Amino acid sequence: MTARITRRSAAGLIAAALSGGYLAARPRAARAADAPITLLNVSYDATRELYEAIDAAFTAQWLSQYRQKISVLQSHGGSGQQASAIVNGLQADVATLGSAFDVMQLYTQAHLIPENWAARLPYNSSPYTSTIVFLVRRGNPKNVRDWADLVRPGVQVVTPNPKTSGAARWAYLAAWAWASRRSGSTEATTKSFMKTLYQHVPVLDAGARGATDTFVERGIGDVLLSWENEALLAAQKLGRGMFSIVVPALSILAEPPVTVVDKVVDQRGTRRFAEAYLQFLYTPQGQQIIAENFYRPRSPAAAQQYAAQFPAVAQMVSVEQAFGGWARAQAVHFADGGTFDQIYGQ
């Protein structure tokens, strides 16, 4: 069973502290009569539909095997905002955020998780990948084909705020990587391109879903810098035939990570349930649900099965390759006084 809650209401959750067993180890028979378990998944903006499907499948499987109910509550918002909410006391059993930097804050700012959190699950605790693409209106009336087209006169770009949104940081870094690789580029020319780009952005929403709503529902802008999964969702389900996806020549390999929030699950007695929940993401069923919701699965079998729905990207860079890792990227570009403040505040 899944429910959505606001950050405010989630902060006040009080659930029974119960111990439990992972899927591979059957709990004591007496646990069948225990009160239901409640988990809180604090996630970023674009994962609402994904985790609704994951939660339904995981809780049904647990109930079938152990005759015990688990309810998963969802909290969504800009990834940076969500990380701050957890640091400030939101009782998340698991954090499924938009970037490794946001998860790192749970360690560096509050020591809610261990420093080696990324090593606890496969693929540095990222059960899927994504990238940044362009969503344009039917017929692509402004003929947007690549990053250079975003700064042409008359083109309006919609993207969230890199200060609060993981998607926005991925989009910013993808644009920077492209600009810095142009022939004859320097740091000055790259910053000039980025400044011009953000002059074409009429509004900075707090998160990816807000930016999608601005573009799709409010009709603002000519191109949305979007998570690939958001663009596919909008093109195939939210407005079939109304939008098209443009894949830039260069984009970025996005690896949104997940973690158990150790201090919370140990206080609440939900560690084994929370660990089982995250490990479910790596199962064949979990990977299929991930692919069905337009995220690129890690499983080779699922990746092959759903390969046709994901557009090819000619060049994909990583944060480690292009920016020296998330700690350096954050310090240089998104910290107070960093390059984003320099180009957006001038």
Side-chain angles (χ1 to χ4, degrees), residues 79-88 95 97 99-115 117 163 169 257 259 261 326-327 330-331 335:
S79 187
Q81 289 180 319
Q82 294 290 77
S84 295
I86 297 172
V87 167
N88 290 326
L97 300 178
S99 74
F101 175 79
D102 293 325
V103 175
M104 286 162 51
Q105 299 314 292
L106 309 187
Y107 167 72
T108 59
Q109 294 191 25
H111 292 283
L112 297 173
I113 61 176
E115 186 175 11
W117 63 270
K163 291 288 192 176
R169 288 195 291 271
T259 186
V261 184
W326 264 109
Q330 177 70 25

PDB file of all heavy atoms in Angstrom, residues 79-88 95 97 99-115 117 163 169 257 259 261 326-327 330-331 335:
ATOM      1  N   SER A  79      15.261  17.622  -5.191  1.00  0.00           N
ATOM      2  CA  SER A  79      16.162  16.703  -4.500  1.00  0.00           C
ATOM      3  C   SER A  79      16.969  17.391  -3.407  1.00  0.00           C
ATOM      4  O   SER A  79      17.131  16.853  -2.304  1.00  0.00           O
ATOM      5  CB  SER A  79      17.107  16.052  -5.514  1.00  0.00           C
ATOM      6  OG  SER A  79      17.889  15.045  -4.909  1.00  0.00           O
ATOM      7  N   GLY A  80      17.464  18.590  -3.680  1.00  0.00           N
ATOM      8  CA  GLY A  80      18.212  19.314  -2.663  1.00  0.00           C
ATOM      9  C   GLY A  80      17.348  19.682  -1.471  1.00  0.00           C
ATOM     10  O   GLY A  80      17.788  19.598  -0.319  1.00  0.00           O
ATOM     11  N   GLN A  81      16.125  20.090  -1.739  1.00  0.00           N
ATOM     12  CA  GLN A  81      15.196  20.407  -0.659  1.00  0.00           C
ATOM     13  C   GLN A  81      14.889  19.171   0.182  1.00  0.00           C
ATOM     14  O   GLN A  81      14.790  19.252   1.414  1.00  0.00           O
ATOM     15  CB  GLN A  81      13.895  20.965  -1.222  1.00  0.00           C
ATOM     16  CG  GLN A  81      14.004  22.358  -1.817  1.00  0.00           C
ATOM     17  CD  GLN A  81      12.683  22.852  -2.356  1.00  0.00           C
ATOM     18  OE1 GLN A  81      11.939  22.098  -2.973  1.00  0.00           O
ATOM     19  NE2 GLN A  81      12.385  24.122  -2.130  1.00  0.00           N
ATOM     20  N   GLN A  82      14.735  18.035  -0.474  1.00  0.00           N
ATOM     21  CA  GLN A  82      14.426  16.803   0.244  1.00  0.00           C
ATOM     22  C   GLN A  82      15.582  16.374   1.143  1.00  0.00           C
ATOM     23  O   GLN A  82      15.381  15.929   2.273  1.00  0.00           O
ATOM     24  CB  GLN A  82      14.068  15.691  -0.749  1.00  0.00           C
ATOM     25  CG  GLN A  82      12.780  15.924  -1.531  1.00  0.00           C
ATOM     26  CD  GLN A  82      11.548  15.816  -0.667  1.00  0.00           C
ATOM     27  OE1 GLN A  82      11.220  16.742   0.089  1.00  0.00           O
ATOM     28  NE2 GLN A  82      10.837  14.700  -0.759  1.00  0.00           N
ATOM     29  N   ALA A  83      16.805  16.504   0.630  1.00  0.00           N
ATOM     30  CA  ALA A  83      17.972  16.188   1.448  1.00  0.00           C
ATOM     31  C   ALA A  83      18.021  17.090   2.679  1.00  0.00           C
ATOM     32  O   ALA A  83      18.275  16.628   3.806  1.00  0.00           O
ATOM     33  CB  ALA A  83      19.244  16.331   0.622  1.00  0.00           C
ATOM     34  N   SER A  84      17.766  18.383   2.494  1.00  0.00           N
ATOM     35  CA  SER A  84      17.763  19.320   3.625  1.00  0.00           C
ATOM     36  C   SER A  84      16.677  18.966   4.630  1.00  0.00           C
ATOM     37  O   SER A  84      16.884  19.074   5.848  1.00  0.00           O
ATOM     38  CB  SER A  84      17.560  20.747   3.118  1.00  0.00           C
ATOM     39  OG  SER A  84      18.654  21.171   2.321  1.00  0.00           O
ATOM     40  N   ALA A  85      15.523  18.533   4.139  1.00  0.00           N
ATOM     41  CA  ALA A  85      14.436  18.165   5.041  1.00  0.00           C
ATOM     42  C   ALA A  85      14.836  16.976   5.919  1.00  0.00           C
ATOM     43  O   ALA A  85      14.539  16.946   7.115  1.00  0.00           O
ATOM     44  CB  ALA A  85      13.180  17.828   4.240  1.00  0.00           C
ATOM     45  N   ILE A  86      15.516  16.000   5.329  1.00  0.00           N
ATOM     46  CA  ILE A  86      15.964  14.841   6.122  1.00  0.00           C
ATOM     47  C   ILE A  86      16.998  15.285   7.146  1.00  0.00           C
ATOM     48  O   ILE A  86      16.954  14.887   8.320  1.00  0.00           O
ATOM     49  CB  ILE A  86      16.528  13.751   5.201  1.00  0.00           C
ATOM     50  CG1 ILE A  86      15.447  13.233   4.257  1.00  0.00           C
ATOM     51  CG2 ILE A  86      17.081  12.585   6.033  1.00  0.00           C
ATOM     52  CD1 ILE A  86      15.973  12.297   3.178  1.00  0.00           C
ATOM     53  N   VAL A  87      17.950  16.091   6.719  1.00  0.00           N
ATOM     54  CA  VAL A  87      18.970  16.602   7.638  1.00  0.00           C
ATOM     55  C   VAL A  87      18.323  17.342   8.794  1.00  0.00           C
ATOM     56  O   VAL A  87      18.761  17.252   9.952  1.00  0.00           O
ATOM     57  CB  VAL A  87      19.967  17.509   6.884  1.00  0.00           C
ATOM     58  CG1 VAL A  87      20.837  18.305   7.856  1.00  0.00           C
ATOM     59  CG2 VAL A  87      20.838  16.682   5.946  1.00  0.00           C
ATOM     60  N   ASN A  88      17.236  18.051   8.509  1.00  0.00           N
ATOM     61  CA  ASN A  88      16.563  18.861   9.534  1.00  0.00           C
ATOM     62  C   ASN A  88      15.509  18.097  10.320  1.00  0.00           C
ATOM     63  O   ASN A  88      14.762  18.699  11.085  1.00  0.00           O
ATOM     64  CB  ASN A  88      15.932  20.089   8.882  1.00  0.00           C
ATOM     65  CG  ASN A  88      16.978  21.077   8.399  1.00  0.00           C
ATOM     66  OD1 ASN A  88      18.029  21.232   9.011  1.00  0.00           O
ATOM     67  ND2 ASN A  88      16.703  21.740   7.285  1.00  0.00           N
ATOM     68  N   ALA A  95      16.119   7.157   1.620  1.00  0.00           N
ATOM     69  CA  ALA A  95      16.240   8.354   0.790  1.00  0.00           C
ATOM     70  C   ALA A  95      16.573   7.893  -0.617  1.00  0.00           C
ATOM     71  O   ALA A  95      17.535   7.139  -0.819  1.00  0.00           O
ATOM     72  CB  ALA A  95      17.329   9.278   1.320  1.00  0.00           C
ATOM     73  N   LEU A  97      17.267   9.843  -3.790  1.00  0.00           N
ATOM     74  CA  LEU A  97      17.428  11.222  -4.228  1.00  0.00           C
ATOM     75  C   LEU A  97      18.028  11.331  -5.619  1.00  0.00           C
ATOM     76  O   LEU A  97      18.403  10.344  -6.234  1.00  0.00           O
ATOM     77  CB  LEU A  97      18.264  11.995  -3.199  1.00  0.00           C
ATOM     78  CG  LEU A  97      17.628  12.039  -1.796  1.00  0.00           C
ATOM     79  CD1 LEU A  97      18.531  12.767  -0.810  1.00  0.00           C
ATOM     80  CD2 LEU A  97      16.257  12.700  -1.835  1.00  0.00           C
ATOM     81  N   SER A  99      20.786  12.918  -6.816  1.00  0.00           N
ATOM     82  CA  SER A  99      22.217  12.921  -7.081  1.00  0.00           C
ATOM     83  C   SER A  99      22.966  12.407  -5.858  1.00  0.00           C
ATOM     84  O   SER A  99      22.458  12.469  -4.729  1.00  0.00           O
ATOM     85  CB  SER A  99      22.718  14.326  -7.434  1.00  0.00           C
ATOM     86  OG  SER A  99      22.781  15.144  -6.282  1.00  0.00           O
ATOM     87  N   ALA A 100      24.187  11.950  -6.083  1.00  0.00           N
ATOM     88  CA  ALA A 100      25.010  11.477  -4.982  1.00  0.00           C
ATOM     89  C   ALA A 100      25.321  12.602  -4.011  1.00  0.00           C
ATOM     90  O   ALA A 100      25.444  12.369  -2.797  1.00  0.00           O
ATOM     91  CB  ALA A 100      26.302  10.863  -5.526  1.00  0.00           C
ATOM     92  N   PHE A 101      25.454  13.827  -4.513  1.00  0.00           N
ATOM     93  CA  PHE A 101      25.734  14.931  -3.601  1.00  0.00           C
ATOM     94  C   PHE A 101      24.627  15.088  -2.569  1.00  0.00           C
ATOM     95  O   PHE A 101      24.892  15.320  -1.383  1.00  0.00           O
ATOM     96  CB  PHE A 101      25.921  16.244  -4.363  1.00  0.00           C
ATOM     97  CG  PHE A 101      26.091  17.416  -3.436  1.00  0.00           C
ATOM     98  CD1 PHE A 101      27.315  17.657  -2.834  1.00  0.00           C
ATOM     99  CD2 PHE A 101      25.023  18.248  -3.135  1.00  0.00           C
ATOM    100  CE1 PHE A 101      27.470  18.716  -1.944  1.00  0.00           C
ATOM    101  CE2 PHE A 101      25.173  19.317  -2.252  1.00  0.00           C
ATOM    102  CZ  PHE A 101      26.399  19.551  -1.659  1.00  0.00           C
ATOM    103  N   ASP A 102      23.378  14.971  -3.003  1.00  0.00           N
ATOM    104  CA  ASP A 102      22.270  15.132  -2.062  1.00  0.00           C
ATOM    105  C   ASP A 102      22.306  14.055  -0.980  1.00  0.00           C
ATOM    106  O   ASP A 102      22.060  14.347   0.196  1.00  0.00           O
ATOM    107  CB  ASP A 102      20.940  15.087  -2.809  1.00  0.00           C
ATOM    108  CG  ASP A 102      20.761  16.290  -3.721  1.00  0.00           C
ATOM    109  OD1 ASP A 102      21.213  17.382  -3.354  1.00  0.00           O
ATOM    110  OD2 ASP A 102      20.194  16.122  -4.823  1.00  0.00           O
ATOM    111  N   VAL A 103      22.606  12.820  -1.361  1.00  0.00           N
ATOM    112  CA  VAL A 103      22.716  11.764  -0.350  1.00  0.00           C
ATOM    113  C   VAL A 103      23.923  12.014   0.548  1.00  0.00           C
ATOM    114  O   VAL A 103      23.865  11.783   1.768  1.00  0.00           O
ATOM    115  CB  VAL A 103      22.808  10.376  -1.018  1.00  0.00           C
ATOM    116  CG1 VAL A 103      23.038   9.290   0.028  1.00  0.00           C
ATOM    117  CG2 VAL A 103      21.531  10.075  -1.797  1.00  0.00           C
ATOM    118  N   MET A 104      25.014  12.493  -0.010  1.00  0.00           N
ATOM    119  CA  MET A 104      26.211  12.775   0.783  1.00  0.00           C
ATOM    120  C   MET A 104      25.917  13.745   1.916  1.00  0.00           C
ATOM    121  O   MET A 104      26.548  13.694   2.977  1.00  0.00           O
ATOM    122  CB  MET A 104      27.311  13.334  -0.115  1.00  0.00           C
ATOM    123  CG  MET A 104      27.974  12.290  -1.001  1.00  0.00           C
ATOM    124  SD  MET A 104      28.891  13.024  -2.401  1.00  0.00           S
ATOM    125  CE  MET A 104      29.906  14.244  -1.572  1.00  0.00           C
ATOM    126  N   GLN A 105      24.936  14.646   1.712  1.00  0.00           N
ATOM    127  CA  GLN A 105      24.613  15.613   2.756  1.00  0.00           C
ATOM    128  C   GLN A 105      24.093  14.942   4.021  1.00  0.00           C
ATOM    129  O   GLN A 105      24.242  15.471   5.126  1.00  0.00           O
ATOM    130  CB  GLN A 105      23.585  16.619   2.241  1.00  0.00           C
ATOM    131  CG  GLN A 105      24.045  17.430   1.054  1.00  0.00           C
ATOM    132  CD  GLN A 105      25.447  17.980   1.244  1.00  0.00           C
ATOM    133  OE1 GLN A 105      25.681  18.845   2.078  1.00  0.00           O
ATOM    134  NE2 GLN A 105      26.378  17.456   0.476  1.00  0.00           N
ATOM    135  N   LEU A 106      23.478  13.778   3.859  1.00  0.00           N
ATOM    136  CA  LEU A 106      22.976  13.070   5.033  1.00  0.00           C
ATOM    137  C   LEU A 106      24.122  12.618   5.930  1.00  0.00           C
ATOM    138  O   LEU A 106      23.945  12.484   7.148  1.00  0.00           O
ATOM    139  CB  LEU A 106      22.132  11.870   4.608  1.00  0.00           C
ATOM    140  CG  LEU A 106      21.014  12.119   3.591  1.00  0.00           C
ATOM    141  CD1 LEU A 106      20.179  10.867   3.418  1.00  0.00           C
ATOM    142  CD2 LEU A 106      20.164  13.312   3.982  1.00  0.00           C
ATOM    143  N   TYR A 107      25.290  12.399   5.334  1.00  0.00           N
ATOM    144  CA  TYR A 107      26.487  12.068   6.117  1.00  0.00           C
ATOM    145  C   TYR A 107      27.220  13.316   6.576  1.00  0.00           C
ATOM    146  O   TYR A 107      27.505  13.481   7.767  1.00  0.00           O
ATOM    147  CB  TYR A 107      27.439  11.191   5.299  1.00  0.00           C
ATOM    148  CG  TYR A 107      28.801  11.086   5.937  1.00  0.00           C
ATOM    149  CD1 TYR A 107      28.994  10.328   7.097  1.00  0.00           C
ATOM    150  CD2 TYR A 107      29.904  11.763   5.404  1.00  0.00           C
ATOM    151  CE1 TYR A 107      30.236  10.258   7.708  1.00  0.00           C
ATOM    152  CE2 TYR A 107      31.146  11.688   5.999  1.00  0.00           C
ATOM    153  CZ  TYR A 107      31.323  10.943   7.149  1.00  0.00           C
ATOM    154  OH  TYR A 107      32.544  10.873   7.743  1.00  0.00           O
ATOM    155  N   THR A 108      27.527  14.219   5.650  1.00  0.00           N
ATOM    156  CA  THR A 108      28.391  15.349   5.994  1.00  0.00           C
ATOM    157  C   THR A 108      27.721  16.338   6.935  1.00  0.00           C
ATOM    158  O   THR A 108      28.388  16.949   7.777  1.00  0.00           O
ATOM    159  CB  THR A 108      28.841  16.086   4.713  1.00  0.00           C
ATOM    160  OG1 THR A 108      27.698  16.555   4.003  1.00  0.00           O
ATOM    161  CG2 THR A 108      29.652  15.171   3.811  1.00  0.00           C
ATOM    162  N   GLN A 109      26.401  16.514   6.827  1.00  0.00           N
ATOM    163  CA  GLN A 109      25.724  17.509   7.643  1.00  0.00           C
ATOM    164  C   GLN A 109      25.108  16.957   8.921  1.00  0.00           C
ATOM    165  O   GLN A 109      24.917  17.710   9.878  1.00  0.00           O
ATOM    166  CB  GLN A 109      24.627  18.204   6.819  1.00  0.00           C
ATOM    167  CG  GLN A 109      25.159  19.040   5.673  1.00  0.00           C
ATOM    168  CD  GLN A 109      24.080  19.910   5.056  1.00  0.00           C
ATOM    169  OE1 GLN A 109      23.094  20.257   5.687  1.00  0.00           O
ATOM    170  NE2 GLN A 109      24.275  20.270   3.795  1.00  0.00           N
ATOM    171  N   ALA A 110      24.784  15.666   8.944  1.00  0.00           N
ATOM    172  CA  ALA A 110      24.069  15.150  10.115  1.00  0.00           C
ATOM    173  C   ALA A 110      24.520  13.769  10.556  1.00  0.00           C
ATOM    174  O   ALA A 110      24.013  13.267  11.552  1.00  0.00           O
ATOM    175  CB  ALA A 110      22.566  15.137   9.838  1.00  0.00           C
ATOM    176  N   HIS A 111      25.423  13.135   9.824  1.00  0.00           N
ATOM    177  CA  HIS A 111      25.887  11.776  10.157  1.00  0.00           C
ATOM    178  C   HIS A 111      24.724  10.814  10.363  1.00  0.00           C
ATOM    179  O   HIS A 111      24.721   9.984  11.270  1.00  0.00           O
ATOM    180  CB  HIS A 111      26.797  11.800  11.388  1.00  0.00           C
ATOM    181  CG  HIS A 111      28.109  12.488  11.137  1.00  0.00           C
ATOM    182  ND1 HIS A 111      29.136  11.884  10.449  1.00  0.00           N
ATOM    183  CD2 HIS A 111      28.537  13.737  11.458  1.00  0.00           C
ATOM    184  CE1 HIS A 111      30.159  12.724  10.364  1.00  0.00           C
ATOM    185  NE2 HIS A 111      29.821  13.857  10.956  1.00  0.00           N
ATOM    186  N   LEU A 112      23.748  10.928   9.472  1.00  0.00           N
ATOM    187  CA  LEU A 112      22.615  10.011   9.516  1.00  0.00           C
ATOM    188  C   LEU A 112      22.924   8.687   8.849  1.00  0.00           C
ATOM    189  O   LEU A 112      22.214   7.699   9.069  1.00  0.00           O
ATOM    190  CB  LEU A 112      21.408  10.653   8.824  1.00  0.00           C
ATOM    191  CG  LEU A 112      20.858  11.929   9.458  1.00  0.00           C
ATOM    192  CD1 LEU A 112      19.783  12.540   8.562  1.00  0.00           C
ATOM    193  CD2 LEU A 112      20.293  11.641  10.843  1.00  0.00           C
ATOM    194  N   ILE A 113      23.930   8.660   7.995  1.00  0.00           N
ATOM    195  CA  ILE A 113      24.370   7.463   7.274  1.00  0.00           C
ATOM    196  C   ILE A 113      25.882   7.387   7.356  1.00  0.00           C
ATOM    197  O   ILE A 113      26.547   8.390   7.645  1.00  0.00           O
ATOM    198  CB  ILE A 113      23.909   7.497   5.789  1.00  0.00           C
ATOM    199  CG1 ILE A 113      24.504   8.714   5.077  1.00  0.00           C
ATOM    200  CG2 ILE A 113      22.389   7.506   5.700  1.00  0.00           C
ATOM    201  CD1 ILE A 113      24.187   8.778   3.599  1.00  0.00           C
ATOM    202  N   PRO A 114      26.480   6.220   7.093  1.00  0.00           N
ATOM    203  CA  PRO A 114      27.940   6.122   7.141  1.00  0.00           C
ATOM    204  C   PRO A 114      28.575   6.712   5.887  1.00  0.00           C
ATOM    205  O   PRO A 114      27.927   6.888   4.848  1.00  0.00           O
ATOM    206  CB  PRO A 114      28.185   4.615   7.228  1.00  0.00           C
ATOM    207  CG  PRO A 114      26.999   4.001   6.560  1.00  0.00           C
ATOM    208  CD  PRO A 114      25.833   4.906   6.887  1.00  0.00           C
ATOM    209  N   GLU A 115      29.853   7.014   5.992  1.00  0.00           N
ATOM    210  CA  GLU A 115      30.566   7.609   4.871  1.00  0.00           C
ATOM    211  C   GLU A 115      30.595   6.686   3.663  1.00  0.00           C
ATOM    212  O   GLU A 115      30.589   7.141   2.515  1.00  0.00           O
ATOM    213  CB  GLU A 115      31.992   7.960   5.302  1.00  0.00           C
ATOM    214  CG  GLU A 115      32.783   8.721   4.256  1.00  0.00           C
ATOM    215  CD  GLU A 115      34.146   9.149   4.755  1.00  0.00           C
ATOM    216  OE1 GLU A 115      34.564   8.681   5.840  1.00  0.00           O
ATOM    217  OE2 GLU A 115      34.807   9.954   4.066  1.00  0.00           O
ATOM    218  N   TRP A 117      28.308   4.777   2.436  1.00  0.00           N
ATOM    219  CA  TRP A 117      26.939   4.398   2.090  1.00  0.00           C
ATOM    220  C   TRP A 117      26.816   3.867   0.670  1.00  0.00           C
ATOM    221  O   TRP A 117      26.041   2.946   0.408  1.00  0.00           O
ATOM    222  CB  TRP A 117      26.006   5.597   2.271  1.00  0.00           C
ATOM    223  CG  TRP A 117      26.329   6.753   1.364  1.00  0.00           C
ATOM    224  CD1 TRP A 117      27.171   7.792   1.631  1.00  0.00           C
ATOM    225  CD2 TRP A 117      25.864   6.950   0.025  1.00  0.00           C
ATOM    226  NE1 TRP A 117      27.257   8.636   0.547  1.00  0.00           N
ATOM    227  CE2 TRP A 117      26.468   8.145  -0.444  1.00  0.00           C
ATOM    228  CE3 TRP A 117      24.996   6.249  -0.811  1.00  0.00           C
ATOM    229  CZ2 TRP A 117      26.230   8.648  -1.731  1.00  0.00           C
ATOM    230  CZ3 TRP A 117      24.759   6.746  -2.093  1.00  0.00           C
ATOM    231  CH2 TRP A 117      25.373   7.925  -2.534  1.00  0.00           C
ATOM    232  N   LYS A 163      19.855  25.178  -7.431  1.00  0.00           N
ATOM    233  CA  LYS A 163      20.048  25.271  -5.981  1.00  0.00           C
ATOM    234  C   LYS A 163      19.164  24.290  -5.228  1.00  0.00           C
ATOM    235  O   LYS A 163      19.477  23.911  -4.093  1.00  0.00           O
ATOM    236  CB  LYS A 163      19.743  26.695  -5.503  1.00  0.00           C
ATOM    237  CG  LYS A 163      20.743  27.732  -5.953  1.00  0.00           C
ATOM    238  CD  LYS A 163      22.059  27.585  -5.202  1.00  0.00           C
ATOM    239  CE  LYS A 163      22.941  28.795  -5.436  1.00  0.00           C
ATOM    240  NZ  LYS A 163      24.186  28.720  -4.627  1.00  0.00           N
ATOM    241  N   ARG A 169      20.620  20.415 -11.693  1.00  0.00           N
ATOM    242  CA  ARG A 169      22.086  20.320 -11.629  1.00  0.00           C
ATOM    243  C   ARG A 169      22.611  19.421 -12.743  1.00  0.00           C
ATOM    244  O   ARG A 169      23.627  19.720 -13.368  1.00  0.00           O
ATOM    245  CB  ARG A 169      22.524  19.815 -10.247  1.00  0.00           C
ATOM    246  CG  ARG A 169      22.330  20.850  -9.155  1.00  0.00           C
ATOM    247  CD  ARG A 169      23.078  20.493  -7.885  1.00  0.00           C
ATOM    248  NE  ARG A 169      22.517  19.336  -7.212  1.00  0.00           N
ATOM    249  CZ  ARG A 169      21.549  19.397  -6.308  1.00  0.00           C
ATOM    250  NH1 ARG A 169      21.005  20.556  -5.984  1.00  0.00           N
ATOM    251  NH2 ARG A 169      21.111  18.306  -5.724  1.00  0.00           N
ATOM    252  N   PRO A 257      21.006   7.912  -6.677  1.00  0.00           N
ATOM    253  CA  PRO A 257      21.287   6.855  -5.699  1.00  0.00           C
ATOM    254  C   PRO A 257      20.195   6.694  -4.644  1.00  0.00           C
ATOM    255  O   PRO A 257      19.301   7.537  -4.510  1.00  0.00           O
ATOM    256  CB  PRO A 257      22.580   7.343  -5.057  1.00  0.00           C
ATOM    257  CG  PRO A 257      22.427   8.836  -5.057  1.00  0.00           C
ATOM    258  CD  PRO A 257      21.582   9.200  -6.264  1.00  0.00           C
ATOM    259  N   THR A 259      19.551   5.106  -0.428  1.00  0.00           N
ATOM    260  CA  THR A 259      20.196   4.663   0.808  1.00  0.00           C
ATOM    261  C   THR A 259      19.165   4.487   1.910  1.00  0.00           C
ATOM    262  O   THR A 259      18.133   5.175   1.947  1.00  0.00           O
ATOM    263  CB  THR A 259      21.262   5.669   1.279  1.00  0.00           C
ATOM    264  OG1 THR A 259      21.965   5.126   2.414  1.00  0.00           O
ATOM    265  CG2 THR A 259      20.644   6.999   1.688  1.00  0.00           C
ATOM    266  N   VAL A 261      18.384   5.299   5.682  1.00  0.00           N
ATOM    267  CA  VAL A 261      18.801   6.358   6.609  1.00  0.00           C
ATOM    268  C   VAL A 261      19.002   5.699   7.970  1.00  0.00           C
ATOM    269  O   VAL A 261      18.060   5.477   8.732  1.00  0.00           O
ATOM    270  CB  VAL A 261      17.761   7.492   6.666  1.00  0.00           C
ATOM    271  CG1 VAL A 261      18.269   8.623   7.565  1.00  0.00           C
ATOM    272  CG2 VAL A 261      17.483   8.021   5.263  1.00  0.00           C
ATOM    273  N   TRP A 326      31.224  14.600  -7.587  1.00  0.00           N
ATOM    274  CA  TRP A 326      30.152  15.487  -7.129  1.00  0.00           C
ATOM    275  C   TRP A 326      30.626  16.503  -6.107  1.00  0.00           C
ATOM    276  O   TRP A 326      30.135  17.648  -6.091  1.00  0.00           O
ATOM    277  CB  TRP A 326      28.998  14.680  -6.555  1.00  0.00           C
ATOM    278  CG  TRP A 326      27.936  14.454  -7.575  1.00  0.00           C
ATOM    279  CD1 TRP A 326      27.612  13.284  -8.198  1.00  0.00           C
ATOM    280  CD2 TRP A 326      27.058  15.448  -8.138  1.00  0.00           C
ATOM    281  NE1 TRP A 326      26.605  13.482  -9.108  1.00  0.00           N
ATOM    282  CE2 TRP A 326      26.243  14.800  -9.090  1.00  0.00           C
ATOM    283  CE3 TRP A 326      26.900  16.807  -7.935  1.00  0.00           C
ATOM    284  CZ2 TRP A 326      25.269  15.478  -9.828  1.00  0.00           C
ATOM    285  CZ3 TRP A 326      25.937  17.490  -8.669  1.00  0.00           C
ATOM    286  CH2 TRP A 326      25.130  16.830  -9.596  1.00  0.00           C
ATOM    287  N   ALA A 327      31.555  16.140  -5.242  1.00  0.00           N
ATOM    288  CA  ALA A 327      32.010  17.107  -4.238  1.00  0.00           C
ATOM    289  C   ALA A 327      32.628  18.326  -4.909  1.00  0.00           C
ATOM    290  O   ALA A 327      32.337  19.476  -4.545  1.00  0.00           O
ATOM    291  CB  ALA A 327      33.008  16.445  -3.293  1.00  0.00           C
ATOM    292  N   GLN A 330      29.902  20.346  -6.961  1.00  0.00           N
ATOM    293  CA  GLN A 330      29.070  21.155  -6.084  1.00  0.00           C
ATOM    294  C   GLN A 330      29.818  22.394  -5.619  1.00  0.00           C
ATOM    295  O   GLN A 330      29.282  23.511  -5.647  1.00  0.00           O
ATOM    296  CB  GLN A 330      28.621  20.329  -4.875  1.00  0.00           C
ATOM    297  CG  GLN A 330      27.799  21.096  -3.859  1.00  0.00           C
ATOM    298  CD  GLN A 330      26.408  21.454  -4.345  1.00  0.00           C
ATOM    299  OE1 GLN A 330      25.873  20.785  -5.217  1.00  0.00           O
ATOM    300  NE2 GLN A 330      25.809  22.481  -3.758  1.00  0.00           N
ATOM    301  N   ALA A 331      31.059  22.217  -5.196  1.00  0.00           N
ATOM    302  CA  ALA A 331      31.834  23.342  -4.679  1.00  0.00           C
ATOM    303  C   ALA A 331      32.076  24.397  -5.750  1.00  0.00           C
ATOM    304  O   ALA A 331      31.982  25.603  -5.496  1.00  0.00           O
ATOM    305  CB  ALA A 331      33.162  22.841  -4.108  1.00  0.00           C
ATOM    306  N   ALA A 335      27.697  25.789  -4.997  1.00  0.00           N
ATOM    307  CA  ALA A 335      27.834  26.383  -3.673  1.00  0.00           C
ATOM    308  C   ALA A 335      27.625  27.898  -3.772  1.00  0.00           C
ATOM    309  O   ALA A 335      27.703  28.481  -4.860  1.00  0.00           O
ATOM    310  CB  ALA A 335      29.202  26.066  -3.093  1.00  0.00           C
TER     311      ALA A 335
END
